[in-house]
Amino acid sequence: MLKRASRWAIHVTEFIAAGLLAAMFVTFLLQIFSRYVLQTPFGWTLEFCLILWVWIVFFGCAFLVREKDHVTFDIFYLAAPARVRQVLALVAAASITVGMLWAFLPTWDYIDFLKIRRTSTVREPFSGDKIPLRTIFSIYAVFMLVVAARYAWRFIDVLRNGPPER
């Protein structure tokens, strides 16, 4: 049951990321069409592509990129004995968890401050108001919490099962 729910969650997050990429691609094509065919570029397409890029990067890194997919410089780590690798993995996981959690409140304060600033050209679909930057950058707060939770889980996993092999 847990594996089924996990697979379902993975598929949902992959679908969301694919949707964001598709929206960015369509917006980019619309930008090209408006600039070179209509000879009147739409101002909102560039800003919308940038917003989508921010969401793709942080959403993807939070929910889709696995630990083994990250670039690592692990020459010393792999050359160390198992006990040293376990200590290094524990220190790294704890550092990332503590660092993300320690920085979360000041980061959220700044993201919350951005509610007074709004997008230049992109507007909300129903109200027509410009979008607060807090809405756009809120994905970074989600990213921080998810990464902290993932590395807290990694810390527990290393304690239980020993150092991971690469």
Side-chain angles (χ1 to χ4, degrees):
M1 181 70 172
L2 187 60
K3 281 196 181 253
R4 182 187 230 177
S6 175
R7 272 186 293 206
W8 182 82
I10 289 170
H11 288 309
V12 168
T13 57
E14 287 173 344
F15 180 77
I16 291 169
L20 291 170
L21 279 168
M24 185 173 161
F25 181 69
V26 169
T27 304
F28 182 69
L29 291 178
L30 184 62
Q31 181 181 25
I32 292 170
F33 178 78
S34 71
R35 178 169 293 173
Y36 295 109
V37 175
L38 299 179
Q39 302 272 326
T40 308
F42 299 143
W44 62 270
T45 54
L46 177 62
E47 188 176 35
F48 191 61
C49 280
L50 293 172
I51 292 167
L52 288 171
W53 182 250
V54 167
W55 272 75
I56 289 166
V57 167
F58 290 117
F59 182 85
C61 285
F63 295 107
L64 297 174
V65 178
R66 298 170 303 210
E67 174 68 25
K68 67 181 182 177
D69 294 335
H70 287 280
V71 174
T72 58
F73 300 99
D74 53 6
I75 294 171
F76 296 118
Y77 176 81
L78 293 175
R83 183 71 181 137
V84 173
R85 281 197 320 265
Q86 183 175 18
V87 169
L88 291 173
L90 288 170
V91 167
S95 298
I96 292 170
T97 302
V98 169
M100 287 291 189
L101 292 175
W102 180 69
F104 180 76
L105 286 179
T107 302
W108 178 251
D109 281 344
Y110 184 71
I111 291 170
D112 191 46
F113 165 75
L114 290 175
K115 69 184 168 201
I116 63 174
R117 297 194 57 208
R118 296 185 173 267
T119 56
S120 300
T121 56
V122 176
R123 297 182 178 275
E124 293 179 10
F126 301 111
S127 69
D129 295 335
K130 292 181 179 177
I131 301 171
L133 293 184
R134 175 180 63 180
T135 303
I136 294 165
F137 290 104
S138 63
I139 191 63
Y140 186 69
V142 173
F143 163 78
M144 291 180 78
L145 292 175
V146 170
V147 168
R150 286 175 68 178
Y151 278 93
W153 179 255
R154 180 172 167 81
F155 184 88
I156 293 167
D157 187 49
V158 170
L159 275 178
R160 286 183 186 163
N161 301 323
E165 296 296 326
R166 297 287 281 196

